[in-house]
Amino acid sequence: MKTILRLLSFVQKGWKRLVIAFVCLMFATAFGIVIPRTLGSGIDTVLDMGQRSLIIIAAAVVIGAAAFRGIAGYGQRYFAEVTAQRASYNIRNALYERLQRLSFAFHDRTQTGQLMSRATVDVEVVRMFFALGLLGMAQVLLMFIAVAVMLLSMDWTLGLMTLAIVVPVAWVAVDFGRRLRPIWMKVQAMMGFMGNTLEESLAGVSVVKAFSHQPEDSRVFAGQAKELYNDQIRAARLMSISVPTMVALATIPTVVILWYGGRQVVAGQLSIGDVTAFILYVGLLMMPIRRLGMMVNLFSRTTSAGQRIFEILDTESIVREKPGAVELGRVQGGVRFENVSFSYDTIGPALKDVSFEVKPGQTVALLGGSGSGKSTIANLLARFYDVSAGRILIDGTDIRDVTLASLRKNVVAAQQDVFLFSATIRENIAYGAVNAGMEQIVEVARAAYLHDFIQALPEGYNTWVGERGDTLSGGEKQRLSIARTLLVNPSILILDDSTASVDASTERLIRQALDRLIKGRTTFVITHRLPIIRNADLILVLQDGVLVERGTHDELMARDGVYKGLYESQLQIDQDAEMHAEGRT
């Protein structure tokens, strides 16, 4: 019930509609209770007094009660659905907000398919509970209380005998609900795994086809589908047993009424109308009891879904603002790392006691092999992760003391793997500055040498970019990323530089755009490109998370150390590539 009560908190301002739905339910139950008693009284009146005209009055009362019951039922279902939609709306927004605020560390270890399953499938289960299950259970309770009162008031002995059957029915429902809950937990988790497999296969369809991996991927997906199928069959088997069992138990009261009630009629203790009313009341009670199996099943699924939802909502971001965090205004761009260490996990540190200082406007080249810590420095500076030890300062202020939004207005990463959204080119350029005017967008597009290309498109800046920007070339995406960054106008820029996959003319355009992007900003460049390395104000050489060398190009070349070896090896690679290109030409 703890999970259900927490889910009820998402109704929030919609509690009035929920109250109206309950009131309508009470009226529907009350009008339903009138019908059997009225028919029983009408039968007794006709049999005792012989006034057939009274049966017409009784029929009119029944028709009127049925009509009002239908109106109340409409109000119940409508307001219940509105409440359910409001609750699911609030839950979806809360989930999305939480997922947006959780740190990179959370997303590193959590599968996208699982998150999508919780935001869609699990939320839909909760919506169905609010629309059907919550009031359905209330209807069972209200109907049982109302019928119990009527039966006991007519004949307490027969009433107790009839109601005693409800106890084993309720026990069966609770027992099957307990057994169904872990199955539904597995089902919903497996749906998340399947969603993740499908998402990865579709996102990487070109890789799947290139390596002819379709049979293996199909085998994995079929295995997950088979496991999901088996779990759902187990749930169906339990439900197939539970529902008929409850229906069978629910027919026993009718047999008891005919046996004991018939004897009471013969003895003059009950009338035929009373026995008729008893049978009708039992029939009225059987409908919600038969639905009790569905309600328990839905309750079990909702509890499982709610737990999965709250696992996300209760997760605290490792990177979070301090109470009273201050706004970081426009900074000059001075950066200082003081004895910074960091580890992504418990296996080993990604950075070890790194210290350096960068003056405003300087260009810093980060150099080192794979896993040396270059990207970690960039991630820590933008505070995608928090340092394990030491501190990072911008213009003398610890970045943990400022708001995340103000920090990331000043520190922007232009990543090598450019991500574009399914939107127009204009919207993608203005993604970080949604209030930017068209003149500003055109200005940064010109600066990124992208304007002429956009103008040549049939719809210009309103041209729709396909999923992940697949309709654009690599060079076009990189220049669009540069335009997007220019529009934000950060003081500190992190650039993961790679132009190896583009042709010479495109590379020249990107280089010119990068020159404009870097000008006047403190820039950290992750690169192996010799022109940038040679012209950098500061070169940081990393090896296994340790800052092994620092200085300018000339200073490091004079030391005859790690940098000189890396530089000469890269120079040889570039010369070989140039000779290979000339040979092809």
Side-chain angles (χ1 to χ4, degrees):
M1 288 302 299
K2 182 180 178 181
T3 301
I4 299 299
L5 290 174
R6 286 192 67 185
L7 289 172
L8 281 170
S9 66
F10 285 99
V11 175
Q12 296 180 355
K13 296 180 180 180
W15 66 268
K16 292 182 180 179
R17 288 185 286 267
L18 186 60
V19 170
I20 293 173
F22 272 110
V23 170
C24 291
L25 173 61
M26 293 174 66
F27 275 110
T29 303
F31 286 122
I33 291 296
V34 168
I35 295 174
R37 191 60 175 163
T38 302
L39 285 175
S41 299
I43 290 172
D44 285 341
T45 301
V46 172
L47 292 177
D48 293 343
M49 302 177 62
Q51 297 182 13
R52 295 177 180 272
S53 60
L54 293 178
I55 198 69
I56 298 175
I57 297 175
V61 172
V62 170
I63 292 172
F68 283 113
R69 182 185 180 188
I71 294 171
Y74 166 79
Q76 169 197 329
R77 287 186 292 272
Y78 174 77
F79 287 107
E81 184 61 38
V82 171
T83 302
Q85 293 291 350
R86 171 59 62 177
S88 62
Y89 169 82
N90 291 333
I91 292 171
R92 285 191 184 100
N93 285 342
L95 275 173
Y96 187 82
E97 180 73 13
R98 175 64 64 179
L99 290 172
Q100 290 292 310
R101 293 184 179 276
L102 288 173
S103 66
F104 276 31
F106 170 83
H107 292 283
D108 288 343
R109 65 176 185 267
T110 307
Q111 292 182 328
T112 303
Q114 287 288 351
L115 299 180
M116 292 175 64
S117 175
R118 297 181 196 211
T120 53
V121 177
D122 291 343
V123 173
E124 180 62 17
V125 170
V126 173
R127 185 201 65 78
M128 289 178 62
F129 172 75
F130 278 111
L132 302 173
L134 184 62
L135 291 182
M137 290 184 172
Q139 183 184 30
V140 172
L141 180 61
L142 281 175
M143 188 64 73
F144 175 76
I145 293 173
V147 169
V149 169
M150 296 302 297
L151 294 182
L152 293 173
S153 66
M154 294 166 62
D155 187 289
W156 68 270
T157 303
L158 183 56
L160 286 176
M161 294 173 65
T162 304
L163 295 173
I165 307 302
V166 174
V167 176
V169 173
W171 180 86
V172 169
V174 171
D175 180 63
F176 277 105
R178 177 184 59 81
R179 294 162 65 183
L180 275 168
R181 181 181 168 193
I183 297 176
W184 285 123
M185 281 288 286
K186 279 194 66 179
V187 165
Q188 285 161 246
M190 185 51 63
M191 291 181 74
F193 288 126
M194 288 181 62
N196 190 74
T197 301
L198 183 61
E199 190 268 340
E200 288 183 346
S201 296
L202 294 177
V205 65
S206 58
V207 178
V208 173
K209 290 181 177 297
F211 287 88
S212 300
H213 208 260
Q214 297 97 322
E216 179 63 19
D217 283 359
S218 296
R219 186 191 63 78
V220 172
F221 189 81
Q224 293 174 337
K226 180 65 174 177
E227 189 171 345
L228 176 64
Y229 168 81
N230 290 335
D231 287 333
Q232 289 181 321
I233 291 298
R234 285 177 59 203
R237 187 181 298 117
L238 277 174
M239 292 173 60
S240 299
I241 296 172
S242 66
V243 174
T245 300
M246 286 186 287
V247 171
L249 290 172
T251 60
I252 296 177
T254 303
V255 177
V256 173
I257 292 170
L258 291 175
W259 170 71
Y260 183 81
R263 295 178 62 184
Q264 291 294 85
V265 170
V266 173
Q269 300 296 317
L270 282 176
S271 67
I272 294 176
D274 289 335
V275 174
T276 303
F278 256 93
I279 294 174
L280 291 174
Y281 276 126
V282 169
L284 197 63
L285 189 60
M286 288 307 101
M287 180 180 68
I289 285 180
R290 281 195 293 268
R291 292 176 59 196
L292 190 60
M294 184 188 76
M295 295 298 106
V296 170
N297 176 41
L298 186 55
F299 184 89
S300 297
R301 293 195 66 180
T302 303
T303 303
S304 302
Q307 288 176 338
R308 284 163 51 82
I309 288 170
F310 288 126
E311 282 178 8
I312 303 297
L313 296 181
D314 292 341
T315 300
E316 291 292 338
S317 177
I318 297 174
V319 177
R320 52 182 179 269
E321 293 179 359
K322 288 182 178 180
V326 298
E327 289 287 323
L328 184 65
R330 180 75 180 181
V331 300
Q332 292 181 347
V335 176
R336 188 162 75 248
F337 275 53
E338 294 183 352
N339 306 113
V340 171
S341 296
F342 175 76
S343 176
Y344 289 100
D345 48 45
T346 58
I347 297 175
L351 286 182
K352 306 171 190 175
D353 198 28
V354 172
S355 298
F356 61 85
E357 184 172 359
V358 180
K359 295 179 181 179
Q362 284 190 326
T363 297
V364 181
L366 299 174
L367 200 61
S370 177
S372 60
K374 305 185 300 296
S375 297
T376 301
I377 287 178
N379 287 333
L380 292 175
L381 182 57
R383 210 184 166 204
F384 295 142
Y385 302 86
D386 267 339
V387 297
S388 304
R391 62 176 185 163
I392 301 172
L393 301 97
I394 295 179
D395 288 357
T397 302
D398 193 321
I399 62 174
R400 291 171 295 188
D401 294 332
V402 302
T403 62
L404 290 171
S406 63
L407 171 66
R408 290 169 187 168
K409 284 181 181 178
N410 284 280
V411 181
V412 173
Q415 298 170 333
Q416 172 186 339
D417 184 14
V418 181
F419 189 95
L420 301 181
F421 296 89
S422 296
T424 64
I425 289 179
R426 174 180 178 174
E427 290 167 334
N428 270 287
I429 293 176
Y431 186 76
V434 292
N435 296 321
M438 193 61 201
E439 290 183 3
Q440 294 172 289
I441 294 172
V442 171
E443 182 181 350
V444 296
R446 289 184 186 277
Y449 298 95
L450 194 64
H451 177 70
D452 292 341
F453 163 75
I454 296 173
Q455 287 291 85
L457 296 173
E459 298 182 48
Y461 283 85
N462 292 320
T463 300
W464 193 263
V465 176
E467 186 177 7
R468 294 179 178 85
D470 288 341
T471 56
L472 301 180
S473 70
E476 290 157 359
K477 287 195 286 188
Q478 288 193 39
R479 281 179 284 158
L480 194 152
S481 176
I482 292 169
R484 177 195 287 171
T485 306
L486 281 169
L487 194 58
V488 176
N489 192 27
S491 299
I492 301 172
L493 176 67
I494 302 167
L495 181 63
D496 193 350
D497 177 51
S498 176
T499 55
S501 60
V502 298
D503 57 61
S505 60
T506 301
E507 180 178 352
R508 179 177 54 80
L509 291 177
I510 293 174
R511 290 287 165 215
Q512 291 173 345
L514 285 174
D515 289 341
R516 293 191 179 186
L517 181 62
I518 292 172
K519 188 177 181 181
R521 309 177 202 278
T522 303
T523 306
F524 291 79
V525 187
I526 301 172
T527 184
H528 288 282
R529 309 298 292 179
L530 297 181
I532 293 180
I533 295 172
R534 280 195 299 264
N535 295 325
D537 300 299
L538 177 64
I539 300 169
L540 301 177
V541 183
L542 294 127
Q543 197 171 60
D544 297 325
V546 178
L547 182 58
V548 292
E549 289 183 345
R550 77 185 76 193
T552 63
H553 171 73
D554 292 337
E555 292 171 347
L556 294 177
M557 289 295 288
R559 292 178 190 172
D560 197 21
V562 176
Y563 172 78
K564 185 175 182 180
L566 289 172
Y567 182 84
E568 289 178 347
S569 64
Q570 185 62 39
L571 180 64
Q572 184 61 50
I573 291 172
D574 287 356
Q575 287 176 344
D576 290 346
E578 185 177 344
M579 291 175 62
H580 180 65
E582 290 176 355
R584 286 185 302 174
T585 303

